[in-house]
Coordinates of all heavy atoms in Angstrom, one line a residue:
I149 N 27.6 -8.5 24.9 CA 26.6 -7.8 25.7 C 27.3 -6.9 26.7 O 26.9 -5.7 26.9 CB 25.7 -8.8 26.4 CG1 24.9 -9.6 25.4 CG2 24.8 -8.1 27.4 CD1 24.0 -10.7 26.0
E150 N 28.4 -7.3 27.3 CA 29.1 -6.5 28.2 C 29.7 -5.2 27.5 O 29.7 -4.1 28.1 CB 30.3 -7.3 28.9 CG 29.8 -8.3 29.9 CD 31.0 -9.1 30.4 OE1 32.1 -8.7 30.1 OE2 30.8 -10.1 31.2
L151 N 30.2 -5.4 26.3 CA 30.7 -4.3 25.6 C 29.6 -3.3 25.2 O 29.8 -2.1 25.2 CB 31.4 -4.8 24.3 CG 32.2 -3.8 23.5 CD1 33.3 -3.1 24.3 CD2 32.8 -4.4 22.2
Y152 N 28.4 -3.8 24.9 CA 27.3 -2.9 24.6 C 26.9 -2.1 25.8 O 26.6 -0.9 25.7 CB 26.1 -3.8 24.1 CG 24.8 -3.0 24.0 CD1 24.7 -2.0 23.0 CD2 23.8 -3.1 24.9 CE1 23.5 -1.3 22.9 CE2 22.6 -2.4 24.8 CZ 22.5 -1.5 23.8 OH 21.3 -0.7 23.7
E153 N 26.8 -2.7 27.0 CA 26.5 -2.0 28.2 C 27.5 -0.9 28.5 O 27.1 0.1 29.0 CB 26.4 -3.0 29.4 CG 25.3 -4.0 29.3 CD 23.9 -3.3 29.3 OE1 23.8 -2.3 30.0 OE2 22.9 -3.8 28.7
L154 N 28.7 -1.1 28.1 CA 29.8 -0.1 28.3 C 29.7 1.0 27.4 O 29.9 2.2 27.7 CB 31.2 -0.8 28.2 CG 32.4 0.1 28.4 CD1 32.5 0.6 29.8 CD2 33.6 -0.6 28.0
L155 N 29.3 0.8 26.1 CA 29.3 1.8 25.1 C 27.9 2.3 24.7 O 27.8 3.1 23.8 CB 30.0 1.2 23.8 CG 31.4 0.7 23.9 CD1 31.9 0.1 22.6 CD2 32.3 1.7 24.5
K156 N 26.8 1.8 25.3 CA 25.5 2.2 24.8 C 25.2 3.7 24.9 O 24.4 4.2 24.1 CB 24.5 1.4 25.5 CG 24.3 1.7 27.0 CD 23.2 0.8 27.6 CE 23.1 1.1 29.1 NZ 22.0 0.3 29.7
D157 N 25.8 4.3 25.9 CA 25.5 5.8 26.0 C 26.0 6.6 24.8 O 25.5 7.6 24.4 CB 26.1 6.3 27.3 CG 25.4 5.8 28.5 OD1 24.2 5.3 28.4 OD2 26.0 5.7 29.6
E158 N 27.2 6.1 24.3 CA 27.7 6.8 23.1 C 27.2 6.3 21.8 O 27.2 7.0 20.8 CB 29.3 6.5 23.1 CG 30.0 7.3 24.1 CD 30.1 6.5 25.4 OE1 29.4 5.5 25.5 OE2 30.9 6.9 26.3
L159 N 26.6 5.1 21.7 CA 26.1 4.5 20.5 C 24.6 4.7 20.2 O 24.2 4.7 19.1 CB 26.5 3.0 20.4 CG 28.0 2.7 20.4 CD1 28.2 1.2 20.3 CD2 28.7 3.4 19.3
E160 N 23.9 4.7 21.3 CA 22.4 4.9 21.1 C 22.1 6.2 20.5 O 22.7 7.2 20.9 CB 21.7 4.7 22.4 CG 21.7 3.3 22.9 CD 20.9 2.3 22.1 OE1 20.0 2.8 21.3 OE2 21.1 1.1 22.1
P161 N 21.1 6.3 19.6 CA 20.7 7.6 19.0 C 20.1 8.5 20.0 O 19.5 8.1 21.0 CB 19.8 7.2 17.9 CG 19.2 5.9 18.3 CD 20.3 5.2 19.1
A162 N 20.3 9.8 19.7 CA 19.7 10.8 20.6 C 18.2 10.8 20.6 O 17.5 11.1 21.5 CB 20.2 12.2 20.3
A163 N 17.6 10.5 19.4 CA 16.1 10.5 19.2 C 15.8 9.3 18.4 O 16.5 9.0 17.3 CB 15.6 11.8 18.5
Y164 N 14.8 8.5 18.8 CA 14.4 7.3 18.1 C 13.4 7.7 17.0 O 12.3 8.1 17.3 CB 13.8 6.3 19.0 CG 14.8 5.6 19.9 CD1 15.1 6.1 21.2 CD2 15.5 4.5 19.4 CE1 16.1 5.5 22.0 CE2 16.5 3.9 20.2 CZ 16.8 4.3 21.5 OH 17.7 3.7 22.2
T165 N 13.8 7.6 15.7 CA 13.0 7.8 14.6 C 13.0 6.6 13.7 O 13.7 5.6 14.0 CB 13.5 9.0 13.8 OG1 14.8 8.8 13.3 CG2 13.5 10.3 14.7
N166 N 12.2 6.6 12.6 CA 12.2 5.5 11.8 C 13.5 5.2 11.0 O 13.7 4.2 10.4 CB 11.0 5.6 10.8 CG 11.1 6.9 9.9 OD1 11.9 7.8 10.3 ND2 10.4 6.9 8.9
R167 N 14.4 6.2 11.0 CA 15.7 6.1 10.3 C 16.9 5.9 11.3 O 18.0 5.8 10.9 CB 15.9 7.3 9.4 CG 14.9 7.5 8.4 CD 15.3 8.7 7.5 NE 14.3 8.9 6.4 CZ 14.3 9.8 5.5 NH1 15.4 10.6 5.4 NH2 13.4 10.0 4.6
A168 N 16.6 6.0 12.6 CA 17.7 5.9 13.6 C 18.2 4.4 13.6 O 17.5 3.5 13.6 CB 17.2 6.3 14.9
L169 N 19.5 4.3 13.8 CA 20.2 3.0 13.9 C 20.3 2.7 15.4 O 20.9 3.5 16.2 CB 21.6 3.0 13.3 CG 21.6 3.1 11.8 CD1 23.0 3.3 11.3 CD2 21.1 1.8 11.2
P170 N 19.9 1.5 15.9 CA 20.0 1.2 17.3 C 21.5 1.0 17.6 O 22.4 0.7 16.8 CB 19.3 -0.2 17.4 CG 18.4 -0.2 16.2 CD 19.1 0.6 15.1
G171 N 21.8 1.2 18.9 CA 23.2 1.1 19.3 C 23.8 -0.3 19.1 O 24.9 -0.5 18.8
M172 N 22.9 -1.4 19.3 CA 23.4 -2.7 19.1 C 23.8 -3.0 17.7 O 24.8 -3.7 17.4 CB 22.4 -3.7 19.6 CG 22.8 -5.2 19.4 SD 24.3 -5.6 20.3 CE 23.6 -5.7 22.0
V173 N 23.1 -2.4 16.7 CA 23.4 -2.6 15.3 C 24.8 -1.9 15.0 O 25.6 -2.5 14.3 CB 22.3 -2.0 14.4 CG1 22.7 -2.0 12.9 CG2 21.0 -2.8 14.6
K174 N 25.0 -0.7 15.6 CA 26.3 -0.1 15.4 C 27.4 -0.9 16.0 O 28.5 -1.0 15.4 CB 26.3 1.3 16.0 CG 25.2 2.3 15.4 CD 25.2 3.6 16.2 CE 24.2 4.5 15.6 NZ 24.1 5.8 16.3

Side-chain angles (χ1 to χ4, degrees):
I149 295 176
E150 290 179 4
L151 188 58
Y152 170 72
E153 293 296 329
L154 179 66
L155 305 178
K156 65 179 181 180
D157 293 337
E158 288 88 351
L159 297 181
E160 288 294 340
Y164 285 94
T165 63
N166 58 345
R167 300 185 181 182
L169 288 172
M172 180 58 77
V173 173
K174 298 178 182 178

